[in-house]
Amino acid sequence: MDANHLQKITCPADLRRLGDEELTELAEEIREFIVDTVNATGGHLGSNLGVVELTLALHLVFDSPRDIILWDTGHQAYVHKMLTGRTDQFKTLRQPGGLSGYPSREESPHDWIENSHASTVLSYAHGLATAQQAAGGEQRRVIAVVGDGSLTGGVAFEGLNNIGHSGCNVTLVLNDNGRSYAPTISRLSESLLRVRMDPRYVRTDNQVRKVLQNIPWVGDLAGRTVGAAKAAVREMVEPRTFFDELGISYFGPFDGHDLGKLERVFSRVSHLEGPCLVHVLTQKGRGYAPAENDPVKNMHDTSYAKPGSYTEAFTTALIKEAEARPELVAITAAMPDSTGLLPFAERFPERCFDVGIAEQHAVTAAAGMAMGGLRPVVAIYSTFLTRAIDQVNLDVGLHNQPVVFCLDRAGITGDDGASHHGVLDMVLLTKIPGMTVLAPSSYQELQQMLHDALEITTGPVAIRWAKTAAPSVPEDQVGFGLTGRKVKEGADVCLLSVGKMLAPAEEAAELLEADGVSTTVWDVRSVKPLDEDMLADAARHRAVLTIEDGWREGGAGSSVAHQLAHSGREGAVPAIRVLGVPNEYIPHGKPDQILADCGLDPAGIAEAAREALAVKA
């Protein structure tokens, strides 16, 4: 393509100097640029390819950042970033110190929220619109783009209800591609599909519009009259729409790749009083054949369950356990692929449940399944389980239900940034009475732990593992039950490592041994309850260090330190150091570098051990 419009776009106002043909060329440039960038840096592909024309239309009509454009979720905001002056920074996308993969308030005044967990944008929109219309408000227009997948989350319905009840001036854009991460799980989505596929609606809608355009007295009421007529048309095709019942005026559906039509629609609704929703139909992965033909996630991103990963170990073990346990069922929240459940779903389709982006529902439904005699395994990212911690605590824990939580992407995850690091799970889960928390250090440990977890029937169990590759070990290096495993015997310092941190702990021990420091290494395995024999062994050393890839305040190490300090054992209490992630938001970066910056690499661990020993000298 000879044209190079994209590099000339420094702000949304530059778009308004382009003609229709140039805008079409720009859309093609943007798609090519997204494919090239994501193939080089990783990131979210399909979701951004699907919103090119939609984003162009929004910025052609609305005046960002004066008008407040919000994205749910932020992984579909790459085009928005390009049109707001950040194209040149995309070579640093998701790289340390570079451009975030989500909207970022630190990057641009055009980014109002960092919204990477779905279904929250309608609540933001309600709050911002209320503030704009309050006494002293700036009267900015609020536009919230929400996917049909996000509407499977309960908080989205809460936001819709309050927007409709308040009557605030919000333009909601329903980006309907029939998918969240995977195909959307929702009866509402099925209803929307029936509307958009019904030829009577499309044909009658066009006929009504032509008639109204020929009525000379319609005048300034044209937009309102067309909206009312469209509502009447829908009454002939389906029951009164869900959105109209909530007090939100509904417009659509419209072709989300027809830039001219989208621009006209947004221009028409931009001055309406009260909340309205524009239903836009888009194709995830548009314009890139590999994404269009991906039946699982339309290349939502470029990640997959890699051979030798903890996720693969979980998948294999889950199928094996399900073959022996007919009562076993699996639940996920819109991510059957990334959590490793697709092979399970193919093998046991009637025993796999994708509830959509509804983590709270997933957890409480699992409690109900357990009450009914099933053995539910909830497969979910660590960062997403924390959205449902109340349900884990009071719906599962309080009822002592044997639900097994399998937490992928625990610890420092890297490129997706602060919102995706799984650093809170151990802090929260270890505080739930009756909860067992396990952390595997190898491929084989995870499989053993899943078996052991399913043997526990007196309460919930959580198994948390990292995104990184899982070491493969021989059978004699695999623990069992709720015991720790001593990896190395020493006399001076004891390193208690959690999960994947075993590898840097072993390397740190080698560094210490080279300095003449005799070192013991334990694989903690059971974070809760802690192995009493392991604690007794640790207490005989001059110094004890705990090593975890979660928040150090209130996590596994805090429990160890508390028990050692209050053990009542004879003799002096060893110097105790709790190593972990500081209680702060960690930006995106490479996991190994982030861990090193936190003192969680072999050199950092060894230096902390030397400092602890110096105190006891």
Side-chain angles (χ1 to χ4, degrees):
M1 184 184 299
D2 295 331
N4 189 15
H5 303 297
L6 181 57
Q7 294 301 322
K8 300 174 185 177
I9 303 299
T10 62
C11 65
D14 292 336
L15 295 173
R16 299 173 194 124
R17 292 193 285 270
L18 300 179
D20 292 346
E21 183 176 343
E22 292 170 311
L23 287 169
T24 299
E25 293 173 346
L26 174 60
E28 293 183 38
E29 285 184 50
I30 289 172
R31 285 196 168 90
E32 291 177 6
F33 185 84
I34 290 172
V35 171
D36 291 343
T37 297
V38 174
N39 282 336
T41 65
H44 293 93
L45 184 62
S47 50
N48 287 289
L49 293 174
V51 296
V52 174
E53 289 82 7
L54 171 57
T55 310
L56 285 168
L58 287 171
H59 280 295
L60 282 165
V61 173
F62 297 102
D63 182 22
S64 177
R66 168 67 190 177
D67 291 326
I68 301 170
I69 302 177
L70 310 171
W71 299 88
D72 191 334
T73 62
H75 63 235
Q76 61 182 328
Y78 288 11
V79 185
H80 163 78
K81 291 193 175 202
M82 295 176 200
L83 302 182
T84 53
R86 286 170 275 179
T87 300
D88 290 342
Q89 300 175 51
F90 264 80
K91 60 180 176 292
T92 69
L93 179 68
R94 291 159 46 95
Q95 305 304 302
L99 199 68
S100 170
Y102 298 97
S104 170
R105 288 171 64 89
E106 295 181 357
E107 283 182 10
S108 172
H110 294 275
D111 294 359
W112 282 80
I113 55 175
E114 196 280 10
N115 190 33
S116 56
H117 286 193
S119 309
T120 60
V121 77
L122 301 182
S123 298
Y124 281 117
H126 176 238
L128 280 163
T130 300
Q132 298 311 307
Q133 294 174 226
E138 299 178 89
Q139 307 302 308
R140 300 180 184 218
R141 189 75 189 184
V142 178
I143 304 96
V145 183
V146 59
D148 58 303
S150 290
L151 288 184
T152 63
V155 68
F157 289 98
E158 296 169 25
L160 281 172
N161 181 50
N162 280 276
I163 287 172
H165 177 73
S166 69
C168 58
N169 293 334
V170 177
T171 299
L172 306 178
V173 180
L174 173 55
N175 174 26
D176 179 6
N177 58 27
R179 311 182 74 86
S180 49
Y181 186 92
T184 301
I185 306 299
S186 170
R187 289 300 294 271
L188 174 59
S189 180
E190 293 174 12
S191 175
L192 296 174
L193 179 64
R194 286 195 298 272
V195 176
R196 63 178 174 171
M197 297 300 291
D198 196 309
R200 292 175 296 162
Y201 171 65
V202 177
R203 182 172 59 252
T204 311
D205 176 32
N206 291 334
Q207 291 172 348
V208 168
R209 184 173 298 280
K210 289 179 181 179
V211 170
L212 290 171
Q213 288 173 345
N214 293 325
I215 299 178
W217 49 265
V218 169
D220 293 337
L221 297 177
R224 194 181 312 168
T225 306
V226 169
K230 285 168 69 67
V233 169
R234 283 194 304 278
E235 287 294 335
M236 295 185 293
V237 178
E238 65 163 12
R240 186 170 177 82
T241 71
F242 173 77
F243 302 104
D244 287 337
E245 292 284 1
L246 287 175
I248 300 171
S249 300
Y250 173 93
F251 299 91
F254 302 103
D255 181 353
H257 302 293
D258 186 334
L259 178 56
K261 177 171 285 188
L262 289 178
E263 187 178 358
R264 291 190 295 273
V265 169
F266 289 142
S267 295
R268 179 169 295 155
V269 303
S270 63
H271 303 294
L272 291 181
E273 292 294 318
C276 66
L277 181 140
V278 178
H279 182 187
V280 174
L281 309 178
T282 62
Q283 180 186 11
K284 196 169 186 178
R286 175 88 170 195
Y288 184 53
E292 291 180 345
N293 297 325
D294 176 6
V296 177
K297 56 183 181 180
N298 287 124
M299 294 191 73
H300 173 89
D301 52 31
T302 54
S303 67
Y304 57 93
K306 298 175 177 61
S309 66
Y310 285 100
T311 306
E312 183 193 58
F314 165 68
T315 300
T316 303
L318 184 67
I319 292 174
K320 179 180 177 181
E321 293 293 336
E323 289 171 344
R325 303 172 189 266
E327 72 278 10
L328 189 152
V329 294
I331 305 169
T332 189
M335 304 189 79
D337 177 48
S338 294
T339 57
L341 288 189
L342 282 184
F344 178 90
E346 292 173 2
R347 176 71 175 81
F348 304 104
E350 73 286 356
R351 293 161 63 182
C352 189
F353 302 92
D354 181 352
V355 301
I357 302 175
E359 294 87 358
Q360 292 175 310
H361 166 66
V363 172
T364 303
M369 292 177 187
M371 290 174 182
L374 298 176
R375 288 307 311 274
V377 174
V378 180
I380 198 167
Y381 283 10
S382 166
T383 186
F384 295 141
L385 182 72
T386 55
R387 305 184 85 187
I389 198 63
D390 186 67
Q391 287 69 34
V392 175
N393 181 31
L394 297 180
D395 298 342
V396 176
L398 181 63
H399 294 94
N400 297 314
Q401 292 305 306
V403 176
V404 178
F405 297 99
C406 291
L407 310 186
D408 207 325
R409 270 69 164 179
I412 295 295
T413 55
D415 301 335
D416 283 323
S419 62
H420 277 58
H421 295 309
V423 292
L424 249 178
D425 56 272
M426 285 191 291
V427 174
L428 297 173
L429 294 175
T430 54
K431 307 307 178 293
I432 295 175
M435 174 69 75
T436 298
V437 181
L438 306 175
S441 60
S442 70
Y443 193 99
Q444 290 76 14
E445 282 277 10
L446 191 158
Q447 297 183 320
Q448 179 65 45
M449 285 180 177
L450 181 61
H451 175 79
D452 293 340
L454 290 166
E455 291 294 303
I456 297 173
T457 59
T458 55
V461 182
I463 310 173
R464 50 107 61 192
W465 62 80
K467 182 181 180 180
T468 50
S472 184
V473 300
E475 186 176 343
D476 62 357
Q477 294 181 21
V478 178
F480 62 91
L482 303 181
T483 62
R485 184 175 67 88
K486 185 184 287 190
V487 177
K488 184 179 181 301
E489 178 79 40
D492 297 324
V493 63
C494 181
L495 306 181
L496 304 180
S497 66
V498 176
K500 67 170 279 186
M501 302 312 297
L502 176 62
E506 290 181 294
E507 292 183 43
E510 293 178 5
L511 297 175
L512 291 168
E513 293 282 353
D515 291 341
V517 179
S518 181
T519 307
T520 296
V521 178
W522 278 85
D523 181 359
V524 172
R525 299 189 70 257
S526 177
V527 175
K528 183 186 178 184
L530 291 164
D531 182 356
E532 288 292 333
D533 291 338
M534 178 187 71
L535 295 176
D537 182 71
R540 66 181 175 82
H541 297 76
R542 288 192 292 138
V544 176
L545 278 73
T546 65
I547 309 156
E548 61 193 294
D549 59 345
W551 276 354
R552 61 175 173 245
E553 296 181 21
S558 294
S559 298
V560 170
H562 177 80
Q563 293 198 36
L564 286 178
H566 298 85
S567 64
R569 296 183 178 92
E570 295 182 2
V573 175
I576 304 171
R577 295 290 182 272
V578 176
L579 305 185
V581 179
N583 188 4
E584 59 189 53
Y585 295 112
I586 306 293
H588 65 266
K590 298 306 177 186
D592 287 347
Q593 185 59 55
I594 293 174
L595 291 172
D597 292 342
C598 295
L600 295 173
D601 62 339
I605 295 168
E607 181 59 28
R610 296 185 192 101
E611 293 174 359
L613 287 170
V615 171
K616 298 295 287 187

